[in-house]
Structures are given as C-alpha cells and as structure tokens.
Amino acid sequence: MQISAQISQFHGTGTPFEVSKIPVGITSERTLIRVSLATICGSDLHTVSGRRGADTPCVLGHEAVGTIAAPTHLQSATGKPLHEGDRVTWSLMASCGACDYCTHRKLPQKCETLFKYGHARSEGSSTLSGGFASHIQLHPGTAVYHIPDGVTDGEAVPVNCAFATVVNGLTTIGTQPNESAVIHGAGMLGIYAACYLQELDYNIVAVVDINEERLQIAKRFGATHTFNPEKVSIEEIDAALKQLTNGRGVDLGVEVSGAISGLPNLATWAAIGGRVLTLGYVYPNAHTSIDAHQIVTKCVTLRGVHNYHYTALGTALSFVEENRGRYPFAELIGQTYPLKDINKAFEHAMRQDEIRIAIAPGG
C-alpha cells in the first residue's frame, strides 16, 4: 500500500526549503503518523543558519504531534495498542534498548544505533523522518505516548523536545523543595523550567534574559524574580541573588540560553555546594571561559545533559495535563504557517519575536 506525502527538504544553508510530493510505502512494522502540528525548535534554527551541520537533504522538525494514519504492530510506551486516529506524540529518537548506553548507562538518547527524527538524511526508509511534512514514519524503539483528550495540539507540540529535555535534566541534577534556582535563558526550555521548579516547591525561581517580553512571559510561568543583563550588571544580579538567599547564592543554576556567558555567570551565582545544569549548548564550538576556581572552592556540581531518557516525555506530558489550568501553555505557540510557507515560517522564527513558530502541514 502506498500514500502520497508532502515533504519539505532542507538542502543546506542559504538554500530555500523544497516542498514536494512523494509516494511512500506503508508497513505495519513502522508507525505512520499524519502530522497535525510541528514547531520550529532552536536546534532547527542552528541547522538552517549553519551553526550546526546536517546530512542533507533532510526533513527537519522533531517537535511534532499527529494521529496514527495506518495499522501498526507497535505499542505505546505504556503498553497500550495504537489505533488509527489516535492522537500521539513521540520521543525525538529511536533506540535499540539493548546496547550499553540503553541498559547499563541509562542513556538511550546516546544509543549505539540511535535514530533522531528531523536530523537524518531523507532517503530510503528514512524519507519520512521529520516533522515538517504531512506524514512521518516512526521506527521501532520510539516511545509513543497518547495525548490526553484535554490537552490541545498547541499545548503538547513542544513537549517531546523542550519540556522532556528540561524534565530529564532536572531529574538528573536533582531537585529539593524550598531551594532557590536561577535559570539562564527565557526561551521555551527556560519557561518550562520555571513552571516545573515552581511546582516542585522552589522558594526562588529567578530567570535571566535580555529579552524583556520573554521575562514577562516567565513571570506568568512561575518566575519569582527576573533580571535583564542589559539593564543591570552581572555583579548587581549576583548581589540581588545573594540578598534573596541570605548571602548564600543559589542552590541550582540552569543554563538553557546557549549563550557563552551562561556557565560563567551561573558559576558566579552558585552557592557553596550548589549545582549547575547545562542544556543549551547544542551547537559545536560553544567555547566559553569559566573561572574553575569557583567550581572547586565552592564545591559546585556541574552537569551537562543532552536530550532525554524517553520516560521524561511521559512525565512532561502528564505535567502539562495536570497544570494546564495554571499555566497558559498554548500561548507559547505563536503564528502558524502552512507547509507551503515553510520558508516564511523560518524567516519569522529567526527574528525570535515569539517563543515558538508553528507549521501545520495540513493547513
């Protein structure tokens, strides 16, 4: 059985996306998804701008939701059968479940035979491998989750990258109620981190960003304090954070900006025995200068985390379902473009005047 799918292929920096129709064979050994909505992630922008490489041609897009479009033998991550018409989201990678990374190291996102959606060359069995298309085919080893009926596509679409990454990172570094935290960056990951820490009973959730509009959004998502480094100095932020923490400094620093100033600042602001988590450097040559003396003498734990263990996706999805009445998750999605206007969508996303720009392939 074959279908006709519409895809947008990326051929390299400076070249427009090519939108075309292709025939695709359907097999029950994979899961065919009709993509309802996809969003442009920061890593997509890094790829299109040339900040990070890509094996072209490829179909970008990994933050996506959709419906099951054909019978499949695969089951959901919770063991439930998958039926045509089911609304789902899925992990941004497929892993084998048997290698050392998948088992002993508990890092399936670093599987020896890892397949990442929106990052693979678009050819053969991987032709439908990204979210910026009418359909995507999921490989065995992908964690698929049903989207709760009360959760909209707009609320769910960034969860399988941004929010799951935040949940995995915070779980890895460890959190404690009544602690203080400072988040470096008020993009999608920073916004998610703010509300997640707020619901974990953090006393102080400070957010640092140079975009004033994003800082205002952060306040709606649980930030107790915000700082703009273009308006106050790093030293002034340090003094304010120390005043808020009785002179100690913050217990937890979360870097999600990708800015090279992130790690040095968080090392400065950290308390003795503090922890610093970095998630934002998802592009090569992110060289930064840090005073290692701060790390050593303050006994700071520094931990980098990339992507996520697939169980974090289930946790993030449940969080959105339980807290959608407290936080306006859907408002994080800005203008939505049809697939034929993907080049306009990326031009808009590059301006970074909205947290996320969306693409509706069926629009």
mmCIF file of all heavy atoms in Angstrom, residues 52 92-103 105-116 119 168 279 281-282 303-310:
data_model
loop_
_atom_site.group_PDB
_atom_site.id
_atom_site.type_symbol
_atom_site.label_atom_id
_atom_site.label_comp_id
_atom_site.label_asym_id
_atom_site.label_seq_id
_atom_site.Cartn_x
_atom_site.Cartn_y
_atom_site.Cartn_z
ATOM 1 N N ARG A 52 25.190 24.536 13.091
ATOM 2 C CA ARG A 52 25.454 23.124 13.258
ATOM 3 C C ARG A 52 25.190 22.433 11.932
ATOM 4 O O ARG A 52 24.422 22.913 11.104
ATOM 5 C CB ARG A 52 24.600 22.507 14.362
ATOM 6 C CG ARG A 52 23.136 22.660 14.166
ATOM 7 C CD ARG A 52 22.336 22.172 15.357
ATOM 8 N NE ARG A 52 22.131 20.742 15.334
ATOM 9 C CZ ARG A 52 21.501 20.078 16.308
ATOM 10 N NH1 ARG A 52 21.055 20.735 17.370
ATOM 11 N NH2 ARG A 52 21.317 18.794 16.226
ATOM 12 N N LEU A 92 11.934 12.023 20.477
ATOM 13 C CA LEU A 92 12.622 12.551 19.300
ATOM 14 C C LEU A 92 13.697 11.606 18.779
ATOM 15 O O LEU A 92 14.373 11.913 17.804
ATOM 16 C CB LEU A 92 13.209 13.935 19.573
ATOM 17 C CG LEU A 92 14.231 14.147 20.686
ATOM 18 C CD1 LEU A 92 15.628 13.766 20.248
ATOM 19 C CD2 LEU A 92 14.210 15.587 21.134
ATOM 20 N N MET A 93 13.801 10.422 19.389
ATOM 21 C CA MET A 93 14.768 9.444 18.911
ATOM 22 C C MET A 93 14.214 8.029 19.046
ATOM 23 O O MET A 93 13.293 7.775 19.825
ATOM 24 C CB MET A 93 16.088 9.567 19.691
ATOM 25 C CG MET A 93 16.074 8.986 21.093
ATOM 26 S SD MET A 93 15.076 9.878 22.314
ATOM 27 C CE MET A 93 16.086 11.329 22.563
ATOM 28 N N ALA A 94 14.794 7.127 18.273
ATOM 29 C CA ALA A 94 14.532 5.693 18.409
ATOM 30 C C ALA A 94 15.829 5.035 18.845
ATOM 31 O O ALA A 94 16.907 5.336 18.318
ATOM 32 C CB ALA A 94 14.056 5.103 17.084
ATOM 33 N N SER A 95 15.761 4.149 19.826
ATOM 34 C CA SER A 95 16.956 3.485 20.352
ATOM 35 C C SER A 95 16.724 1.979 20.417
ATOM 36 O O SER A 95 15.579 1.519 20.437
ATOM 37 C CB SER A 95 17.327 4.052 21.720
ATOM 38 O OG SER A 95 16.200 4.110 22.566
ATOM 39 N N CYS A 96 17.812 1.225 20.496
ATOM 40 C CA CYS A 96 17.726 -0.233 20.368
ATOM 41 C C CYS A 96 17.250 -0.921 21.638
ATOM 42 O O CYS A 96 16.664 -2.001 21.588
ATOM 43 C CB CYS A 96 19.074 -0.802 19.933
ATOM 44 S SG CYS A 96 20.357 -0.778 21.234
ATOM 45 N N GLY A 97 17.522 -0.338 22.804
ATOM 46 C CA GLY A 97 17.117 -0.935 24.062
ATOM 47 C C GLY A 97 18.021 -2.046 24.550
ATOM 48 O O GLY A 97 17.750 -2.648 25.592
ATOM 49 N N ALA A 98 19.111 -2.325 23.839
ATOM 50 C CA ALA A 98 19.961 -3.461 24.201
ATOM 51 C C ALA A 98 21.435 -3.112 24.371
ATOM 52 O O ALA A 98 22.168 -3.852 25.023
ATOM 53 C CB ALA A 98 19.825 -4.562 23.148
ATOM 54 N N CYS A 99 21.897 -2.005 23.814
ATOM 55 C CA CYS A 99 23.319 -1.670 23.900
ATOM 56 C C CYS A 99 23.669 -1.158 25.300
ATOM 57 O O CYS A 99 22.811 -0.976 26.153
ATOM 58 C CB CYS A 99 23.689 -0.636 22.838
ATOM 59 S SG CYS A 99 23.031 1.025 23.141
ATOM 60 N N ASP A 100 24.953 -0.909 25.518
ATOM 61 C CA ASP A 100 25.431 -0.473 26.834
ATOM 62 C C ASP A 100 24.811 0.858 27.244
ATOM 63 O O ASP A 100 24.457 1.063 28.403
ATOM 64 C CB ASP A 100 26.958 -0.362 26.804
ATOM 65 C CG ASP A 100 27.539 -0.005 28.166
ATOM 66 O OD1 ASP A 100 27.282 -0.751 29.129
ATOM 67 O OD2 ASP A 100 28.240 1.012 28.265
ATOM 68 N N TYR A 101 24.650 1.787 26.275
ATOM 69 C CA TYR A 101 24.059 3.088 26.600
ATOM 70 C C TYR A 101 22.593 2.939 26.990
ATOM 71 O O TYR A 101 22.098 3.621 27.897
ATOM 72 C CB TYR A 101 24.181 4.045 25.412
ATOM 73 C CG TYR A 101 25.606 4.470 25.136
ATOM 74 C CD1 TYR A 101 26.259 4.061 23.984
ATOM 75 C CD2 TYR A 101 26.285 5.280 26.035
ATOM 76 C CE1 TYR A 101 27.566 4.444 23.732
ATOM 77 C CE2 TYR A 101 27.600 5.667 25.791
ATOM 78 C CZ TYR A 101 28.229 5.243 24.642
ATOM 79 O OH TYR A 101 29.523 5.623 24.396
ATOM 80 N N CYS A 102 21.878 2.054 26.320
ATOM 81 C CA CYS A 102 20.451 1.869 26.602
ATOM 82 C C CYS A 102 20.210 1.154 27.930
ATOM 83 O O CYS A 102 19.191 1.394 28.585
ATOM 84 C CB CYS A 102 19.796 1.065 25.474
ATOM 85 S SG CYS A 102 19.549 1.984 23.936
ATOM 86 N N THR A 103 21.125 0.279 28.318
ATOM 87 C CA THR A 103 20.896 -0.549 29.502
ATOM 88 C C THR A 103 21.687 -0.050 30.706
ATOM 89 O O THR A 103 21.138 0.597 31.595
ATOM 90 C CB THR A 103 21.231 -2.012 29.194
ATOM 91 O OG1 THR A 103 22.580 -2.105 28.691
ATOM 92 C CG2 THR A 103 20.275 -2.580 28.147
ATOM 93 N N ARG A 105 24.087 2.258 31.160
ATOM 94 C CA ARG A 105 24.332 3.689 31.351
ATOM 95 C C ARG A 105 23.041 4.511 31.444
ATOM 96 O O ARG A 105 23.087 5.692 31.775
ATOM 97 C CB ARG A 105 25.212 4.231 30.220
ATOM 98 C CG ARG A 105 26.589 3.599 30.185
ATOM 99 C CD ARG A 105 27.428 4.139 29.038
ATOM 100 N NE ARG A 105 28.686 3.421 28.920
ATOM 101 C CZ ARG A 105 29.816 3.763 29.530
ATOM 102 N NH1 ARG A 105 29.832 4.843 30.298
ATOM 103 N NH2 ARG A 105 30.918 3.066 29.369
ATOM 104 N N LYS A 106 21.902 3.899 31.127
ATOM 105 C CA LYS A 106 20.603 4.581 31.188
ATOM 106 C C LYS A 106 20.599 5.846 30.322
ATOM 107 O O LYS A 106 20.043 6.881 30.699
ATOM 108 C CB LYS A 106 20.224 4.941 32.626
ATOM 109 C CG LYS A 106 20.286 3.772 33.598
ATOM 110 C CD LYS A 106 19.327 2.658 33.224
ATOM 111 C CE LYS A 106 19.383 1.518 34.239
ATOM 112 N NZ LYS A 106 18.549 0.352 33.821
ATOM 113 N N LEU A 107 21.231 5.754 29.162
ATOM 114 C CA LEU A 107 21.299 6.878 28.226
ATOM 115 C C LEU A 107 20.816 6.427 26.842
ATOM 116 O O LEU A 107 21.581 6.399 25.875
ATOM 117 C CB LEU A 107 22.733 7.412 28.123
ATOM 118 C CG LEU A 107 23.312 8.129 29.345
ATOM 119 C CD1 LEU A 107 24.799 8.366 29.175
ATOM 120 C CD2 LEU A 107 22.580 9.447 29.592
ATOM 121 N N PRO A 108 19.543 6.046 26.715
ATOM 122 C CA PRO A 108 19.051 5.599 25.410
ATOM 123 C C PRO A 108 19.171 6.674 24.340
ATOM 124 O O PRO A 108 19.218 6.352 23.152
ATOM 125 C CB PRO A 108 17.583 5.237 25.688
ATOM 126 C CG PRO A 108 17.216 6.035 26.903
ATOM 127 C CD PRO A 108 18.470 6.071 27.731
ATOM 128 N N GLN A 109 19.243 7.940 24.758
ATOM 129 C CA GLN A 109 19.406 9.024 23.788
ATOM 130 C C GLN A 109 20.805 9.042 23.184
ATOM 131 O O GLN A 109 21.069 9.805 22.249
ATOM 132 C CB GLN A 109 19.087 10.382 24.422
ATOM 133 C CG GLN A 109 20.076 10.892 25.460
ATOM 134 C CD GLN A 109 19.728 10.483 26.879
ATOM 135 O OE1 GLN A 109 19.251 9.385 27.108
ATOM 136 N NE2 GLN A 109 19.954 11.384 27.832
ATOM 137 N N LYS A 110 21.692 8.173 23.684
ATOM 138 C CA LYS A 110 23.039 8.020 23.125
ATOM 139 C C LYS A 110 23.253 6.602 22.589
ATOM 140 O O LYS A 110 24.391 6.125 22.494
ATOM 141 C CB LYS A 110 24.093 8.355 24.191
ATOM 142 C CG LYS A 110 24.056 9.809 24.648
ATOM 143 C CD LYS A 110 24.344 10.755 23.490
ATOM 144 C CE LYS A 110 24.155 12.198 23.875
ATOM 145 N NZ LYS A 110 24.382 13.112 22.733
ATOM 146 N N CYS A 111 22.164 5.947 22.251
ATOM 147 C CA CYS A 111 22.192 4.570 21.732
ATOM 148 C C CYS A 111 23.223 4.414 20.611
ATOM 149 O O CYS A 111 23.443 5.329 19.809
ATOM 150 C CB CYS A 111 20.796 4.219 21.221
ATOM 151 S SG CYS A 111 20.668 2.637 20.382
ATOM 152 N N GLU A 112 23.848 3.229 20.561
ATOM 153 C CA GLU A 112 24.863 2.968 19.529
ATOM 154 C C GLU A 112 24.279 2.988 18.122
ATOM 155 O O GLU A 112 24.991 3.237 17.148
ATOM 156 C CB GLU A 112 25.530 1.615 19.802
ATOM 157 C CG GLU A 112 26.395 1.607 21.062
ATOM 158 C CD GLU A 112 26.994 0.251 21.343
ATOM 159 O OE1 GLU A 112 26.751 -0.695 20.554
ATOM 160 O OE2 GLU A 112 27.707 0.119 22.358
ATOM 161 N N THR A 113 22.979 2.721 17.990
ATOM 162 C CA THR A 113 22.319 2.757 16.681
ATOM 163 C C THR A 113 21.204 3.805 16.679
ATOM 164 O O THR A 113 20.140 3.609 16.081
ATOM 165 C CB THR A 113 21.747 1.370 16.317
ATOM 166 O OG1 THR A 113 20.842 0.952 17.356
ATOM 167 C CG2 THR A 113 22.856 0.350 16.179
ATOM 168 N N LEU A 114 21.442 4.899 17.353
ATOM 169 C CA LEU A 114 20.440 5.936 17.539
ATOM 170 C C LEU A 114 19.910 6.472 16.207
ATOM 171 O O LEU A 114 20.668 6.679 15.255
ATOM 172 C CB LEU A 114 21.046 7.106 18.331
ATOM 173 C CG LEU A 114 20.091 8.234 18.724
ATOM 174 C CD1 LEU A 114 19.149 7.768 19.825
ATOM 175 C CD2 LEU A 114 20.882 9.460 19.194
ATOM 176 N N PHE A 115 18.595 6.709 16.167
ATOM 177 C CA PHE A 115 17.970 7.398 15.031
ATOM 178 C C PHE A 115 17.230 8.604 15.580
ATOM 179 O O PHE A 115 16.385 8.468 16.467
ATOM 180 C CB PHE A 115 17.000 6.488 14.287
ATOM 181 C CG PHE A 115 16.387 7.151 13.082
ATOM 182 C CD1 PHE A 115 17.034 7.116 11.865
ATOM 183 C CD2 PHE A 115 15.181 7.838 13.179
ATOM 184 C CE1 PHE A 115 16.491 7.752 10.749
ATOM 185 C CE2 PHE A 115 14.630 8.477 12.079
ATOM 186 C CZ PHE A 115 15.285 8.429 10.859
ATOM 187 N N LYS A 116 17.537 9.790 15.071
ATOM 188 C CA LYS A 116 16.909 11.018 15.555
ATOM 189 C C LYS A 116 16.027 11.624 14.464
ATOM 190 O O LYS A 116 16.487 11.869 13.343
ATOM 191 C CB LYS A 116 17.968 12.055 15.991
ATOM 192 C CG LYS A 116 18.703 11.680 17.257
ATOM 193 C CD LYS A 116 19.614 12.797 17.733
ATOM 194 C CE LYS A 116 18.839 13.968 18.262
ATOM 195 N NZ LYS A 116 19.706 15.007 18.873
ATOM 196 N N HIS A 119 16.713 14.877 11.936
ATOM 197 C CA HIS A 119 18.159 15.041 11.822
ATOM 198 C C HIS A 119 18.777 14.114 10.775
ATOM 199 O O HIS A 119 19.953 14.273 10.420
ATOM 200 C CB HIS A 119 18.842 14.752 13.166
ATOM 201 C CG HIS A 119 18.506 15.732 14.247
ATOM 202 N ND1 HIS A 119 17.294 15.735 14.908
ATOM 203 C CD2 HIS A 119 19.217 16.755 14.782
ATOM 204 C CE1 HIS A 119 17.284 16.701 15.808
ATOM 205 N NE2 HIS A 119 18.423 17.346 15.753
ATOM 206 N N ASN A 168 14.208 15.801 32.080
ATOM 207 C CA ASN A 168 15.322 14.866 32.192
ATOM 208 C C ASN A 168 16.528 15.518 32.867
ATOM 209 O O ASN A 168 17.177 14.926 33.737
ATOM 210 C CB ASN A 168 15.724 14.350 30.814
ATOM 211 C CG ASN A 168 16.727 13.220 30.870
ATOM 212 O OD1 ASN A 168 16.413 12.107 31.249
ATOM 213 N ND2 ASN A 168 17.970 13.515 30.494
ATOM 214 N N LEU A 279 22.058 22.730 29.519
ATOM 215 C CA LEU A 279 21.293 22.042 28.481
ATOM 216 C C LEU A 279 21.374 22.750 27.129
ATOM 217 O O LEU A 279 20.987 22.176 26.112
ATOM 218 C CB LEU A 279 19.807 21.982 28.887
ATOM 219 C CG LEU A 279 19.439 21.332 30.212
ATOM 220 C CD1 LEU A 279 17.954 21.554 30.496
ATOM 221 C CD2 LEU A 279 19.749 19.845 30.187
ATOM 222 N N TYR A 281 23.842 24.197 25.109
ATOM 223 C CA TYR A 281 24.921 24.254 24.111
ATOM 224 C C TYR A 281 24.788 23.093 23.127
ATOM 225 O O TYR A 281 25.579 22.148 23.127
ATOM 226 C CB TYR A 281 26.281 24.245 24.809
ATOM 227 C CG TYR A 281 26.464 25.411 25.755
ATOM 228 C CD1 TYR A 281 26.570 25.219 27.127
ATOM 229 C CD2 TYR A 281 26.483 26.716 25.273
ATOM 230 C CE1 TYR A 281 26.719 26.287 27.996
ATOM 231 C CE2 TYR A 281 26.631 27.800 26.133
ATOM 232 C CZ TYR A 281 26.744 27.578 27.493
ATOM 233 O OH TYR A 281 26.879 28.649 28.346
ATOM 234 N N VAL A 282 23.793 23.189 22.240
ATOM 235 C CA VAL A 282 23.510 22.116 21.295
ATOM 236 C C VAL A 282 24.086 22.432 19.911
ATOM 237 O O VAL A 282 23.581 21.975 18.897
ATOM 238 C CB VAL A 282 21.994 21.855 21.207
ATOM 239 C CG1 VAL A 282 21.484 21.256 22.498
ATOM 240 C CG2 VAL A 282 21.231 23.136 20.867
ATOM 241 N N ARG A 303 26.900 19.704 35.619
ATOM 242 C CA ARG A 303 26.423 18.547 34.859
ATOM 243 C C ARG A 303 25.819 18.983 33.525
ATOM 244 O O ARG A 303 24.971 19.858 33.473
ATOM 245 C CB ARG A 303 25.371 17.788 35.672
ATOM 246 C CG ARG A 303 24.813 16.535 35.005
ATOM 247 C CD ARG A 303 25.897 15.471 34.859
ATOM 248 N NE ARG A 303 25.432 14.316 34.113
ATOM 249 C CZ ARG A 303 24.999 13.174 34.677
ATOM 250 N NH1 ARG A 303 24.961 13.059 35.999
ATOM 251 N NH2 ARG A 303 24.620 12.161 33.935
ATOM 252 N N GLY A 304 26.294 18.371 32.458
ATOM 253 C CA GLY A 304 25.703 18.584 31.146
ATOM 254 C C GLY A 304 24.766 17.436 30.811
ATOM 255 O O GLY A 304 25.074 16.275 31.089
ATOM 256 N N VAL A 305 23.628 17.745 30.220
ATOM 257 C CA VAL A 305 22.644 16.730 29.826
ATOM 258 C C VAL A 305 22.146 17.061 28.427
ATOM 259 O O VAL A 305 21.792 18.209 28.136
ATOM 260 C CB VAL A 305 21.465 16.675 30.817
ATOM 261 C CG1 VAL A 305 20.404 15.691 30.327
ATOM 262 C CG2 VAL A 305 21.947 16.261 32.205
ATOM 263 N N HIS A 306 22.111 16.044 27.567
ATOM 264 C CA HIS A 306 21.666 16.233 26.190
ATOM 265 C C HIS A 306 20.446 15.357 25.921
ATOM 266 O O HIS A 306 20.453 14.164 26.218
ATOM 267 C CB HIS A 306 22.795 15.855 25.223
ATOM 268 C CG HIS A 306 22.481 16.121 23.788
ATOM 269 N ND1 HIS A 306 22.739 15.213 22.780
ATOM 270 C CD2 HIS A 306 21.917 17.205 23.183
ATOM 271 C CE1 HIS A 306 22.370 15.723 21.626
ATOM 272 N NE2 HIS A 306 21.865 16.922 21.839
ATOM 273 N N ASN A 307 19.392 15.962 25.359
ATOM 274 C CA ASN A 307 18.161 15.228 25.065
ATOM 275 C C ASN A 307 17.605 14.567 26.323
ATOM 276 O O ASN A 307 17.758 15.116 27.410
ATOM 277 C CB ASN A 307 18.382 14.239 23.929
ATOM 278 C CG ASN A 307 18.705 14.918 22.600
ATOM 279 O OD1 ASN A 307 19.389 14.365 21.752
ATOM 280 N ND2 ASN A 307 18.234 16.143 22.405
ATOM 281 N N TYR A 308 17.033 13.368 26.227
ATOM 282 C CA TYR A 308 16.370 12.838 27.401
ATOM 283 C C TYR A 308 16.145 11.335 27.334
ATOM 284 O O TYR A 308 16.110 10.742 26.252
ATOM 285 C CB TYR A 308 15.018 13.534 27.608
ATOM 286 C CG TYR A 308 14.060 13.442 26.422
ATOM 287 C CD1 TYR A 308 13.197 12.357 26.272
ATOM 288 C CD2 TYR A 308 14.008 14.452 25.462
ATOM 289 C CE1 TYR A 308 12.311 12.275 25.209
ATOM 290 C CE2 TYR A 308 13.130 14.384 24.396
ATOM 291 C CZ TYR A 308 12.283 13.299 24.271
ATOM 292 O OH TYR A 308 11.413 13.215 23.207
ATOM 293 N N HIS A 309 16.007 10.748 28.510
ATOM 294 C CA HIS A 309 15.515 9.374 28.630
ATOM 295 C C HIS A 309 14.033 9.427 28.278
ATOM 296 O O HIS A 309 13.314 10.317 28.727
ATOM 297 C CB HIS A 309 15.721 8.872 30.054
ATOM 298 C CG HIS A 309 15.494 7.405 30.223
ATOM 299 N ND1 HIS A 309 14.228 6.857 30.246
ATOM 300 C CD2 HIS A 309 16.367 6.368 30.371
ATOM 301 C CE1 HIS A 309 14.321 5.550 30.410
ATOM 302 N NE2 HIS A 309 15.609 5.224 30.476
ATOM 303 N N TYR A 310 13.571 8.469 27.493
ATOM 304 C CA TYR A 310 12.210 8.561 26.955
ATOM 305 C C TYR A 310 11.124 8.666 28.026
ATOM 306 O O TYR A 310 10.047 9.220 27.773
ATOM 307 C CB TYR A 310 11.918 7.371 26.041
ATOM 308 C CG TYR A 310 12.069 6.018 26.696
ATOM 309 C CD1 TYR A 310 11.021 5.449 27.409
ATOM 310 C CD2 TYR A 310 13.271 5.320 26.599
ATOM 311 C CE1 TYR A 310 11.172 4.220 28.021
ATOM 312 C CE2 TYR A 310 13.416 4.082 27.203
ATOM 313 C CZ TYR A 310 12.364 3.537 27.920
ATOM 314 O OH TYR A 310 12.507 2.320 28.526
#
